[in-house]
Amino acid sequence: MSCAHLLLVLSVAVSLGSAVEIQRPRGVPLSKRQFYEENKPFTCLDGSRTIPFDRVNDDYCDCKDGSDEPGTAACPNGSFHCTNAGFRPTFIPSSRVNDGICDCCDTTDEYNSGANCQNTCRELGRKEKESLQKLAEITKEGFLLKQQLIEEAKKGKQDKQAKLTELQNNKKGLEEKVEALRTVKETAEQPEKEAKERHLKAWEEQKAVIRAEKDRAKMAEAFLELDDDADGFVSVSELQSHPELDPDTDGTLTEAEAQNVLGGSAKVDSATFENVWSSIKDKYVSESQPEQPADQVHIPPPEEAKEPITDNDSEQYPEDDIGEDDDDDDVEDDEYHEDDDDKVTSSVRTPESSDGDEEAMPPYDGETQSLIDAAQKAREEFEESERSLREVEDQIRNLEKEISFDFGPDAEFSYLYSQCYDLSTSEYIYRLCPFNRVTQKPKYGGSETNLGSWGTWSGPEENRYIVMKYEHGTGCWQGPNRSTTVKLTCGKETTVTSTSEPSRCEYLMEFTTPAVCQEPPSLEDTPQHDEF
Amino acid sequence: MAVTSDRMRLVYTALVSLLVGVAHAVDRSNFKTCEQSAFCKRQRELIPGQSPYRALLETLELSGTRLTLQLINDNNKVRLLLELYRLQGNMTRVKINELKPLKPRFEVPDVLITDPPTEPMSVVTQDENGVVLSLGGENQRLIVSAKPFRLDIIEGPEVLLSLNSRGLLSFEHLRPRKDTISHRISDTVGSMWDSIKSVFSSKSETEADHAEGKEDDPEQEGEKNGNEEEDKPGMWEETFKSHTDSKPNGPTSVSLDFSFPGVEHVYGIPEHADSLRLRNTDGGDPYRLYNLDVFQYELDNPMSLYGGVPVLLSHSPHRTMGLFWLNAAETWVDISSNTAGQTMFGKMVDYIQGSSDIPQTDVRWISESGIIDVFIMLGPKPKDVFTQYASLTGTQAFPPLSTLGYHQCRWNYKDQEDVQSVDQGFDEHDIPYDFIWLDIEHTDGKRYFTWDPNTFPQPKDMLQGLANKKRKLVAIVDPHIKVDSGYKIYSELRSKGLFVKTKDGSDYEGWCWPGNSGYPDFTNPEMRAWWASQFAYDQYEGSMENLFVWNDMNEPSIFNGPEVSMHKDALHGSVEHRDLHNLYGFYVQMATAQGLIQRSGGVERPFVLTRSFFAGSQRYGAVWTGDNAAEWGHLKASIPMCLSLGLVGISQCGADVGGFFKHPSAELLVRWYQAGAYQPFFRGHAHIDTPRREPWLFGPENTALIREAVQQRYTLLPYWYLLFYKAHRTGIPVMRPLWVEFPEDVDTFAIQDEFLLGRDLLVHPVAEEGAKGVTAYLPGKGEVWYDAHTFQKHEGGQNLYIPVTMSSIPVFQRGGSIICRKNRVRRSSSCMENDPYTLYVALSPQGTAAGELYIDDGHTFNFETQKQFIHRSLTFSDNKLTSSNLVLDAKFSTSAWIEKVVIAGASEPKAVTLKNSDGTESSLEFEFDAAMATLTIRKPGVNAGADWTILLK
């Protein structure tokens, strides 16, 4: 009752153009007016002591709680109340009273500092009103959109569930089909295998015959070559002209060795040579053939590109996150080189003797071929069915994953799934793919950097769904892996409005979406802030 | 298998190097040890006690205040010229140079503020063994012994100091090169110098000098005829890592030893991340002074850092002395003492055998080139040494008051909005600050004096926004200049030929932040004048009155240079970089400070922070301890590092609060703010790769703790300002080791975990993780100290255990002192200009106290040029507190007044009366806290510049 009365008095006073300060000590809010009664002793608001009223606002701090100096800077823990008629009233720390800087829009904090402050309350009030209206509009429209999103999400979820059920049924059918086709395939493959083996065996036999004939011809040729005096015998001395046949490979084929090669005889005729040939044919070098090159050409591994030498190898001032795993690469590179080396040498040592002898296998006969064709068809059908099964399984997995995502209390964020939103800055294109990842790509060439993969909702306890956290992005030099915090605000559009890197490798994105728009308060509930 | 084991080995090596990397952050291999520095190695190989030098007494000449005497090296017959001066203020100067050098040797310019005034000396006695000189009053004598040459300074019967007593004087004379064609030329035509001078110089006077030397000096012939010393490796060329130093002048190093009988404690020669008291260097590397950009420096070691001041202080209960080795080349200092290595057993043996072995500390200086020019400051009290050193190199620049507030820095505040939001953050969290800083990223491609057009398009708007809050900004301006013909600074410097040159005469270039860069020759006065002119408001676009400057990387840092710095054979005019390396940073800051003075027409005091420095740098601004790390050890190290700098005149010192590299825990950050709040230069800074760490990012509790620490700083600004005024006037350090104020208390000599601010505040920061308490030593038997927060009284001369919580900052006010504070902490120091003072009177056991109050406009030279300041003496005795004028002709008016007087250690009066200068009296209200014996007098209300007396009855 008395409060209402005082309010009335004040309103009248203001409307008559008097200053508010007449009614209460400087810096006192209306709500505390009753504690500051003129000409009565003042009791500190914490009750710690009572002082004469002329010590209120006398620029000396008497109360521990600072309540005796609401209008001066005397108390370190005091606060000053600005009425800010036309805008919002506020408290400022006492230390900002008369510090030469205009803090209250009604200029009341600078009454004795010489600061030239302008009253900007009405202007601020107008602007605030405008922006509040704008915000209210956005919230209203955004909230409507959100309702739609929720509806769509509900429907979408049902669709997905239905689809999932359908897919799971499909999967069952497919699994059966795969098994059936596997049996068909295996049944067709057995005769195919047998026919192939038969064919191969026949060819092997044929090849053996050809090879034996060739060998005999070679032997005859060698005999003729060795039999220098054409007496129909190969003698020890004739054999000695072929040092490559030296059994102890000391470079010379001694008489004894040669005789040994010839089976203990001094000379052999062409029939006996057959036995000798089998033991020398691998070493024998035809006199008409050129010699194998004696030295293996060793190709050294390519020199590694040398880094320019600097003294300061501690990476003193890297400007970019380069070269962090250079060392590992080096290790692996070295090994690869060694492996390559081995391959090169070994292939040189045992050259593949693919002379014209062993021609390609002759084509399958008609019967075998038809068995093969049948098996091939069964295989293809089986693989096809397996592929279909995998696809369905993938679809199921993806759907299950999508359904399992936390898309908000009413699944209002589900529309963001598998979408991406770009923001272009002067240097980079930032891309936010909600529930997936955030990336940064230089505008003018260069590879994409992962700024984090979907982690969790990480808003405050009571409002988790206004902040998204993306983690474990590309590592930083001497630093953490990149991560991104996405702050969601209410908006009609779904769009990335800004990005920044407040701390090295920790990114911040501002993202508007109707999905976070709250139900606008009905006008009747709006508290009236103005003090009168 | 071989491949597998190779892989294992590689992995193992990688692991080992990783572990080593963790244990030792710095890559030591980038920097030389003495062994790797040819001249240091040569010099250190000398065997003591075999000095080849003999004084030729017959050459002694004493003309008024100058004594000259020739010395001869009996091994090679080369003669040196010794000059001796008695300087005013109890100092002796000893200069040794070659009598006839092949070319003039470099003498350090611009460091001494004047040619030091001399006093007459006289010969007391002289015989064939030596000469005794009188050094004027105080019964001081200087004894010159002839063979071997040696100097002793004695006072009465006591030897204060001896020079060359260990025979380590060694002066490598300039010589022609023997092993090359030029040597053959020099035999027939002239010297080595003749043959190369056409390449390096066209000055004819050197030629003339030399010709004269050749004709007149028979000793030179003697040298040629068989007395030549052998060349040793590294004399004519030296390679370190991939860099070769060409050394066209050959070996030029100089060395001299000093002995301090009776001295066990020596200090100084910063900058090292090491203990306050210098260690014995026997068996390890000497302390090195060679300004270098040491990446992730290590603690407790004598390696060089960013700056070097070749000043050493000796201290014993009886006497404090100083040595100033004026040489700007690479310098190494060996310290050894006869007690340091002695075991308990050894001491017992001495005792039993009745040995009268007195303690002694030996100091040996080795420099790569230049001359020997040493100032012996004879004290006898610590404050006398400060005065003596200040008379040579000047005092601390008197900083603008605002620079004593809190500075917020980060590499980097990204853009104008970032700056604005950090500024806003301080207001939102009610934490005061005065300066926000911009590191290299604010520039357009690391072109200093420019702004990045994308991130800082409107620097003046930003600066005005700060000015509206009475705040300021510091922008970095480094001395490496991007090679880019489109960059004004570069193209002008190039066309004016003001860059440092290579030995071949082309512009010297090296890599730094912008890539390939030129290095302006700051040793050239023309260059410095041009540089200074670039800070004019119409030259430095986007600059305003509230923009100040920071010089980083001025060792100079050159990423691809030897030891991350400049090649020693680079040329500054005709002078090799070798001769003046340690001066480069000094000159950069000098030129920058000059620029800031000039832009205001000589009115405003400048503020320039530098990383590199030399003797005399105190005249140009502030220094910080470079790129430290967020580790408790670095927090602890900030104390001895700044104390050491203070001892050699550089008072405005600080370490990056929080640590530059790495991420501090909340506890470390809070403790660092608490310590930093009580260190002279108070700036938070962080590496670009660290998470953000503005004070409010560690939770509300930590924000509150940091706020409290910063607010304590701001309440004490009047005291800080007074201390800096006194440092500026007298050279006395602001932050002092305890022994400076308690020179006879040996228990204080090695203390480095606490310190004094001025005479009257003792600070023991909490620098241990998880600390539950600290033990502070309260010096002064028979004195008392008061807890600065609670006024609890403690006896002096004891170790006091103080339980601590996270909010504790152990600080004590000395009984007998009066300290003025401003308790109305506002958002910046300028906002507090007219606020009233509270006087904290801490009574001595005798019931007395004294203090001072200094006030001026806080930012101009008017205090100096027009005596516009208030300097008052505050004394309490006989229950009377009096404010009286200390400087009668000083004129300044303030609206600040006296709000409150708190008297600790008081008894309850019956009445308190204020007596104004006009004789009027009024009674004052007061409160008395009997438990703490603290009297609080309410609102005297007198103007801070007035005469008044408060009487307790």
Side-chain angles (χ1 to χ4, degrees):
Chain A
M1 180 60 205
S2 69
C3 263
H5 180 69
L6 189 69
L7 266 171
L8 185 70
V9 170
L10 269 170
S11 310
V12 170
V14 167
S15 65
L16 290 174
S18 313
V20 176
E21 283 71 24
I22 291 171
Q23 305 299 325
R24 48 191 159 145
R26 194 194 299 271
V28 174
L30 255 187
S31 58
K32 291 189 175 143
R33 167 67 187 90
Q34 71 270 27
F35 303 118
Y36 296 85
E37 278 196 70
E38 211 162 339
N39 302 323
K40 284 193 182 162
F42 171 76
T43 301
C44 306
L45 297 189
D46 63 0
S48 57
R49 67 190 295 186
T50 298
I51 55 173
F53 191 80
D54 64 5
R55 297 209 170 159
V56 171
N57 279 344
D58 73 337
D59 208 12
Y60 184 90
C61 192
D62 291 287
C63 296
K64 282 205 168 65
D65 67 354
S67 55
D68 63 315
E69 297 293 319
T72 75
C75 292
N77 52 348
S79 57
F80 177 91
H81 184 262
C82 332
T83 306
N84 288 347
F87 189 54
R88 266 176 293 126
T90 186
F91 286 94
I92 61 167
S94 288
S95 65
R96 295 184 193 169
V97 174
N98 287 328
D99 67 349
I101 299 162
C102 312
D103 290 285
C104 301
C105 64
D106 65 3
T107 77
T108 50
D109 61 319
E110 295 301 315
Y111 58 88
N112 196 22
S113 69
N116 183 21
C117 300
Q118 306 293 323
N119 189 323
T120 55
C121 291
R122 291 200 185 282
E123 179 63 15
L124 286 171
R126 193 178 56 74
K127 277 191 185 150
E128 190 189 46
K129 213 168 169 186
E130 274 171 21
S131 68
L132 279 175
Q133 267 167 2
K134 220 176 199 169
L135 194 67
E137 258 168 55
I138 290 171
T139 308
K140 197 174 144 197
E141 286 180 46
F143 188 69
L144 285 175
L145 287 171
K146 181 180 177 180
Q147 300 309 311
Q148 286 174 25
L149 290 175
I150 291 171
E151 276 310 304
E152 279 164 26
K154 219 179 262 170
K155 198 166 154 289
K157 190 159 184 179
Q158 283 163 2
D159 290 351
K160 275 168 204 142
Q161 282 292 2
K163 174 99 198 204
L164 186 61
T165 316
E166 187 195 321
L167 283 171
Q168 273 158 347
N169 290 335
N170 281 356
K171 184 185 163 196
K172 232 170 258 166
L174 276 171
E175 277 166 351
E176 284 159 15
K177 193 174 167 194
V178 166
E179 281 317 303
L181 286 173
R182 186 197 304 282
T183 314
V184 172
K185 182 189 83 148
E186 282 166 2
T187 316
E189 277 175 338
Q190 190 54 35
E192 179 205 28
K193 191 180 166 206
E194 286 163 10
K196 268 179 154 176
E197 278 169 3
R198 269 197 306 279
H199 181 81
L200 191 66
K201 199 175 165 211
W203 183 51
E204 289 291 338
E205 284 163 5
Q206 193 189 338
K207 268 202 294 191
V209 172
I210 293 168
R211 222 177 281 140
E213 269 168 22
K214 274 202 173 169
D215 192 35
R216 224 186 315 279
K218 233 184 190 172
M219 179 182 74
E221 199 184 312
F223 187 84
L224 289 175
E225 260 178 27
L226 283 168
D227 185 11
D228 289 337
D229 55 3
D231 64 349
F233 292 95
V234 171
S235 67
V236 165
S237 61
E238 282 166 346
L239 196 63
Q240 275 180 292
S241 66
H242 278 253
E244 76 271 17
L245 301 178
D246 179 20
D248 62 4
T249 63
D250 65 355
T252 48
L253 185 62
T254 63
E255 238 173 85
E257 284 170 342
Q259 192 164 344
N260 209 23
V261 169
L262 294 182
S265 320
K267 55 182 183 178
V268 295
D269 60 10
S270 60
T272 324
F273 186 70
E274 251 181 80
N275 300 326
V276 176
W277 175 245
S278 63
S279 68
I280 65 169
K281 63 182 176 188
D282 288 344
K283 290 184 188 166
Y284 182 78
V285 177
S286 164
E287 283 159 26
S288 59
Q289 271 175 19
E291 255 186 77
Q292 286 274 335
D295 294 301
Q296 307 287 354
V297 178
H298 183 85
I299 301 154
E303 281 281 308
E304 283 195 45
K306 286 274 191 293
E307 297 267 324
I309 296 160
T310 67
D311 271 4
N312 317 315
D313 31 30
S314 59
E315 285 195 75
Q316 186 159 11
Y317 300 102
E319 275 233 70
D320 282 303
D321 315 318
I322 44 158
E324 47 197 351
D325 44 20
D326 271 351
D327 290 340
D328 299 348
D329 288 352
D330 286 351
V331 174
E332 285 172 27
D333 285 351
D334 287 348
E335 285 175 20
Y336 288 150
H337 288 307
E338 283 178 41
D339 290 351
D340 291 350
D341 249 2
D342 286 348
K343 272 181 213 146
V344 170
T345 28
S346 65
S347 66
V348 172
R349 266 180 212 131
T350 55
E352 214 65 55
S353 55
S354 59
D355 16 321
D357 296 358
E358 288 149 46
E359 282 151 22
M361 192 169 66
Y364 294 112
D365 57 69
E367 192 192 341
T368 310
Q369 190 56 51
S370 67
L371 284 171
I372 291 172
D373 290 347
Q376 184 59 29
K377 188 161 171 272
R379 264 194 297 274
E380 279 166 10
E381 280 169 355
F382 166 71
E383 278 160 15
E384 174 62 32
S385 70
E386 241 189 359
R387 209 164 19 246
S388 310
L389 176 61
R390 271 200 304 274
E391 270 167 28
V392 168
E393 281 171 344
D394 279 351
Q395 284 176 18
I396 290 172
R397 221 181 351 265
N398 287 338
L399 259 180
E400 280 175 344
K401 188 179 159 201
E402 189 178 343
I403 289 167
S404 76
F405 265 110
D406 180 357
F407 288 129
D410 299 306
E412 62 268 40
F413 297 100
S414 57
Y415 81 105
L416 298 172
Y417 190 76
S418 74
Q419 301 293 312
C420 289
Y421 303 89
D422 284 3
L423 179 75
S424 209
T425 66
S426 57
E427 263 184 280
Y428 298 104
I429 296 167
Y430 290 89
R431 168 165 293 184
L432 166 65
C433 305
F435 305 105
N436 183 6
R437 57 195 290 217
V438 183
T439 57
Q440 174 201 55
K441 194 174 159 65
K443 257 182 162 169
Y444 309 106
S447 57
E448 195 177 77
T449 306
N450 181 0
L451 303 187
S453 301
W454 168 247
T456 54
W457 290 104
S458 53
E461 194 86 352
E462 67 282 4
N463 204 354
R464 272 189 341 111
Y465 299 97
I466 56 165
V467 179
M468 289 173 156
K469 190 91 194 165
Y470 293 81
E471 295 155 329
H472 309 300
T474 313
C476 274
W477 180 81
Q478 274 209 343
N481 286 351
R482 288 175 175 78
S483 64
T484 303
T485 301
V486 180
K487 283 196 175 154
L488 280 61
T489 50
C490 167
K492 287 185 279 185
E493 313 284 330
T494 301
T495 172
V496 178
T497 55
S498 77
T499 66
S500 57
E501 190 186 354
S503 203
R504 183 81 155 175
C505 303
E506 290 176 15
Y507 296 81
L508 177 69
M509 257 185 187
E510 309 251 5
F511 186 60
T512 63
T513 161
V516 293
C517 295
Q518 299 295 319
E519 186 167 12
S522 58
L523 280 175
E524 295 83 69
D525 299 344
T526 316
Q528 214 50 51
H529 285 302
D530 288 0
E531 219 172 65
F532 51 90
Chain B
M1 186 56 213
V3 172
T4 314
S5 70
D6 270 353
R7 175 196 298 239
M8 300 265 292
R9 185 176 50 76
L10 280 162
V11 169
Y12 178 68
T13 312
L15 271 174
V16 167
S17 56
L18 192 70
L19 289 172
V20 169
V22 168
H24 301 285
V26 70
D27 186 350
R28 287 192 185 213
S29 72
N30 281 337
F31 304 102
K32 288 185 185 179
T33 60
C34 176
E35 188 73 15
Q36 290 166 323
S37 188
F39 77 91
C40 187
K41 181 169 191 279
R42 278 199 306 276
Q43 288 280 8
R44 241 190 171 191
E45 279 165 356
L46 287 185
I47 298 155
Q50 301 180 357
S51 181
Y53 288 96
R54 177 161 55 88
L56 300 171
L57 295 179
E58 66 277 15
T59 64
L60 186 145
E61 285 177 35
L62 178 58
S63 59
T65 63
R66 179 176 190 253
L67 181 145
T68 58
L69 175 64
Q70 290 181 23
L71 310 178
I72 187 163
N73 179 337
D74 278 329
N75 291 342
N76 60 16
K77 304 298 177 207
V78 175
R79 290 192 186 196
L80 304 178
L81 181 69
L82 169 79
E83 290 175 78
L84 270 173
Y85 301 91
R86 171 70 180 173
L87 302 184
Q88 287 178 15
N90 202 16
M91 288 182 282
T92 299
R93 181 180 192 177
V94 179
K95 254 175 114 164
I96 302 175
N97 197 349
E98 286 182 60
L99 180 64
K100 298 273 165 78
L102 279 177
K103 58 178 278 197
R105 297 180 66 117
F106 183 73
E107 297 189 31
V108 175
D110 300 315
V111 167
L112 299 177
I113 49 172
T114 81
D115 201 11
T118 53
E119 285 177 348
M121 286 180 287
S122 56
V123 174
V124 179
T125 60
Q126 176 168 9
D127 61 20
E128 71 278 12
N129 296 322
V131 183
V132 177
L133 297 160
S134 165
L135 289 177
E138 297 178 52
N139 207 12
Q140 280 180 4
R141 299 274 188 274
L142 190 144
I143 302 168
V144 183
S145 306
K147 190 173 179 186
F149 164 70
R150 166 183 173 135
L151 295 176
D152 293 276
I153 297 175
I154 61 170
E155 189 175 292
E158 189 190 354
V159 178
L160 303 181
L161 178 72
S162 308
L163 282 70
N164 201 32
S165 53
R166 285 190 298 155
L168 294 171
L169 167 62
S170 168
F171 205 106
E172 292 180 331
H173 60 286
L174 293 165
R175 65 200 74 186
R177 189 168 187 164
K178 287 186 292 195
D179 57 344
T180 61
I181 293 167
S182 57
H183 176 244
R184 287 199 289 277
I185 293 169
S186 73
D187 273 351
T188 52
V189 184
S191 70
M192 171 69 185
W193 175 242
D194 285 320
S195 67
I196 56 170
K197 77 175 184 326
S198 55
V199 181
F200 289 95
S201 162
S202 57
K203 283 184 185 159
S204 53
E205 70 254 28
T206 40
E207 198 173 359
D209 278 0
H210 171 67
E212 183 194 1
K214 234 181 118 65
E215 284 156 22
D216 295 357
D217 193 353
E219 298 289 352
Q220 292 265 330
E221 290 308 312
E223 181 200 345
K224 287 225 169 82
N225 298 335
N227 280 318
E228 291 188 25
E229 290 143 307
E230 269 179 51
D231 273 358
K232 289 184 182 161
M235 276 188 168
W236 294 94
E237 187 175 283
E238 184 175 350
T239 299
F240 179 66
K241 301 195 92 176
S242 63
H243 299 285
T244 299
D245 175 5
S246 68
K247 300 201 184 178
N249 296 321
T252 55
S253 70
V254 298
S255 162
L256 182 58
D257 66 273
F258 301 83
S259 296
F260 294 92
V263 168
E264 289 182 86
H265 294 81
V266 287
Y267 307 89
I269 53 170
E271 178 179 45
H272 300 99
D274 209 344
S275 54
L276 172 65
R277 179 193 179 186
L278 298 174
R279 293 174 206 272
N280 194 326
T281 58
D282 292 344
D285 250 17
Y287 285 97
R288 190 183 188 201
L289 295 171
Y290 188 63
N291 300 349
L292 293 173
D293 179 0
V294 180
F295 180 71
Q296 297 193 339
Y297 63 78
E298 227 176 273
L299 302 178
D300 303 318
N301 105 30
M303 281 172 74
S304 266
L305 289 179
Y306 313 93
V309 183
V311 174
L312 178 139
L313 275 70
S314 74
H315 179 70
S316 75
H318 317 294
R319 180 178 285 269
T320 309
M321 292 186 286
L323 285 181
F324 173 28
W325 176 266
L326 180 49
N327 188 305
E330 179 182 343
T331 296
W332 298 80
V333 186
D334 256 321
I335 314 277
S336 57
S337 82
N338 60 353
T339 52
Q342 212 170 43
T343 59
M344 200 57 206
F345 180 74
K347 285 180 180 167
M348 290 290 286
V349 171
D350 284 349
Y351 179 75
I352 292 160
Q353 293 173 344
S355 164
S356 63
D357 202 7
I358 58 160
Q360 174 169 315
T361 297
D362 297 321
V363 178
R364 183 195 181 186
W365 300 75
I366 304 168
S367 289
E368 185 176 10
S369 63
I371 64 162
I372 293 173
D373 189 0
V374 60
F375 297 81
I376 300 161
M377 299 171 278
L378 292 167
K381 291 289 155 214
K383 285 166 198 178
D384 299 322
V385 176
F386 301 137
T387 308
Q388 286 154 3
Y389 181 61
S391 75
L392 298 173
T393 67
T395 61
Q396 174 66 48
F398 189 29
L401 172 58
S402 55
T403 70
L404 303 180
Y406 176 63
H407 300 258
Q408 180 67 32
C409 187
R410 169 171 190 86
W411 176 25
N412 210 103
Y413 288 121
K414 287 191 243 289
D415 49 31
Q416 288 178 216
E417 292 70 38
D418 199 4
V419 168
Q420 198 187 353
S421 79
V422 171
D423 177 71
Q424 190 60 33
F426 275 91
D427 285 345
E428 276 162 20
H429 297 91
D430 201 18
I431 300 171
Y433 90 97
D434 271 83
F435 284 81
I436 190 162
W437 291 53
L438 295 179
D439 210 320
I440 51 174
E441 311 297 330
H442 85 276
T443 59
D444 182 7
K446 319 292 186 307
R447 293 171 185 86
Y448 304 104
F449 299 101
T450 70
W451 304 83
D452 184 314
N454 292 316
T455 51
F456 293 90
Q458 302 295 338
K460 284 194 175 178
D461 290 357
M462 172 180 65
L463 285 165
Q464 189 55 53
L466 292 168
N468 292 345
K469 299 248 192 92
K470 302 193 181 183
R471 287 174 179 149
K472 301 168 177 70
L473 180 137
V474 171
I476 198 164
V477 177
D478 285 354
H480 49 263
I481 302 301
K482 185 179 174 74
V483 174
D484 169 7
S485 55
Y487 173 32
K488 188 187 87 171
I489 301 286
Y490 175 77
S491 57
E492 280 199 39
L493 284 171
R494 177 157 174 80
S495 68
K496 290 176 192 291
L498 291 173
F499 282 115
V500 176
K501 302 281 190 273
T502 66
K503 64 179 161 43
D504 306 316
S506 57
D507 281 356
Y508 180 95
E509 289 176 3
W511 281 78
C512 207
W513 299 124
N516 204 26
S517 304
Y519 292 79
D521 184 1
F522 282 92
T523 69
N524 179 350
E526 189 195 337
M527 166 61 214
R528 294 198 298 274
W530 182 87
W531 182 262
S533 72
Q534 296 307 302
F535 290 93
Y537 296 120
D538 58 355
Q539 292 293 317
Y540 188 170
E541 277 176 43
S543 68
M544 283 178 34
E545 293 82 348
N546 65 337
L547 178 142
F548 295 81
V549 179
W550 167 22
N551 294 146
D552 196 358
M553 314 298 278
N554 53 343
E555 294 76 21
S557 176
I558 299 172
F559 297 162
N560 60 342
E563 302 191 76
V564 204
S565 195
M566 190 170 275
H567 290 75
K568 284 177 172 171
D569 52 12
L571 290 172
H572 302 260
S574 61
V575 180
E576 275 197 290
H577 184 69
R578 176 187 335 277
D579 292 326
L580 49 72
H581 171 87
N582 286 348
L583 279 177
Y584 193 82
F586 163 88
Y587 277 129
V588 173
Q589 191 192 19
M590 175 197 274
T592 305
Q594 191 54 42
L596 295 194
I597 294 171
Q598 267 172 227
R599 71 173 186 182
S600 73
V603 172
E604 297 287 328
R605 286 181 245 159
F607 173 70
V608 181
L609 178 75
T610 182
R611 191 169 71 180
S612 186
F613 50 85
F614 189 69
S617 287
Q618 69 271 15
R619 307 198 295 264
Y620 306 113
V623 160
W624 94 108
T625 61
D627 299 344
N628 62 357
E631 293 168 6
W632 291 91
H634 277 270
L635 167 57
K636 291 191 191 92
S638 68
I639 300 173
M641 287 180 81
C642 279
L643 285 174
S644 296
L645 279 164
L647 288 175
V648 300
I650 299 174
S651 264
Q652 201 171 12
C653 167
D656 286 346
V657 169
F660 178 65
F661 292 112
K662 303 187 179 175
H663 185 49
S665 66
E667 185 189 358
L668 175 57
L669 186 71
V670 167
R671 290 301 189 199
W672 212 317
Y673 268 99
Q674 293 173 337
Y678 287 89
Q679 290 177 6
F681 174 58
F682 183 27
R683 181 184 73 152
H685 188 29
H687 189 275
I688 193 166
D689 286 334
T690 60
R692 291 288 283 242
R693 59 164 95 128
E694 284 68 51
W696 49 88
L697 296 176
F698 294 77
E701 275 178 37
N702 292 311
T703 305
L705 292 169
I706 293 172
R707 177 190 303 120
E708 170 61 24
V710 180
Q711 286 182 342
Q712 285 186 24
R713 169 65 167 224
Y714 275 77
T715 63
L716 267 176
L717 285 179
Y719 185 61
W720 280 106
Y721 200 48
L722 170 71
L723 295 181
F724 270 98
Y725 178 71
K726 297 187 103 167
H728 173 68
R729 282 288 184 221
T730 69
I732 190 163
V734 167
M735 179 174 169
R736 302 173 195 167
L738 270 59
W739 61 259
V740 167
E741 294 297 336
F742 297 88
E744 288 164 24
D745 184 351
V746 293
D747 289 341
T748 65
F749 291 3
I751 288 179
Q752 57 175 7
D753 56 357
E754 64 185 49
F755 54 88
L756 290 165
L757 294 180
R759 195 194 72 105
D760 296 328
L761 271 192
L762 184 144
V763 185
H764 189 112
V766 181
E768 296 285 346
E769 188 169 15
K772 296 273 174 281
V774 297
T775 301
Y777 179 70
L778 301 181
K781 249 200 157 50
E783 296 199 24
V784 293
W785 293 86
Y786 297 87
D787 184 308
H789 312 295
T790 64
F791 308 114
Q792 191 184 346
K793 187 157 83 177
H794 303 281
E795 298 295 321
Q798 64 157 332
N799 280 303
L800 179 70
Y801 179 81
I802 308 146
V804 297
T805 64
M806 269 316 290
S807 64
S808 308
I809 315 178
V811 179
F812 300 89
Q813 184 176 343
R814 189 172 180 175
S817 68
I818 301 175
I819 288 178
C820 302
R821 297 183 193 237
K822 284 190 174 183
N823 285 337
R824 303 182 181 187
V825 175
R826 305 201 190 236
R827 65 184 123 198
S828 71
S829 66
S830 305
C831 295
M832 296 161 64
E833 188 183 350
N834 298 315
D835 282 340
Y837 293 88
T838 296
L839 273 43
Y840 288 85
V841 182
L843 294 182
S844 69
Q846 294 73 38
T848 61
E852 291 169 39
L853 175 61
Y854 176 83
I855 306 172
D856 65 14
D857 64 23
H859 58 95
T860 72
F861 283 110
N862 294 348
F863 77 98
E864 211 157 58
T865 55
Q866 300 167 30
K867 289 211 150 198
Q868 290 191 14
F869 62 87
I870 292 166
H871 191 184
R872 304 200 66 83
S873 155
L874 302 164
T875 53
F876 186 95
S877 63
D878 302 326
N879 282 324
K880 232 166 48 185
L881 174 63
T882 306
S883 168
S884 55
N885 197 352
L886 273 174
V887 184
L888 291 176
D889 58 344
K891 290 246 175 322
F892 187 70
S893 67
T894 178
S895 52
W897 47 284
I898 309 299
E899 155 171 62
K900 194 195 282 189
V901 177
V902 177
I903 304 176
S907 42
E908 185 167 13
K910 288 197 177 61
V912 177
T913 313
L914 169 71
K915 220 163 138 179
N916 287 305
S917 53
D918 61 5
T920 55
E921 284 191 25
S922 53
S923 124
L924 298 176
E925 268 190 50
F926 61 91
E927 279 174 57
F928 186 74
D929 177 348
M932 286 293 166
T934 303
L935 176 71
T936 303
I937 301 171
R938 189 185 192 279
K939 209 178 179 188
V942 285
N943 186 280
D947 287 335
W948 50 264
T949 300
I950 290 174
L951 300 155
L952 313 184
K953 286 171 190 161

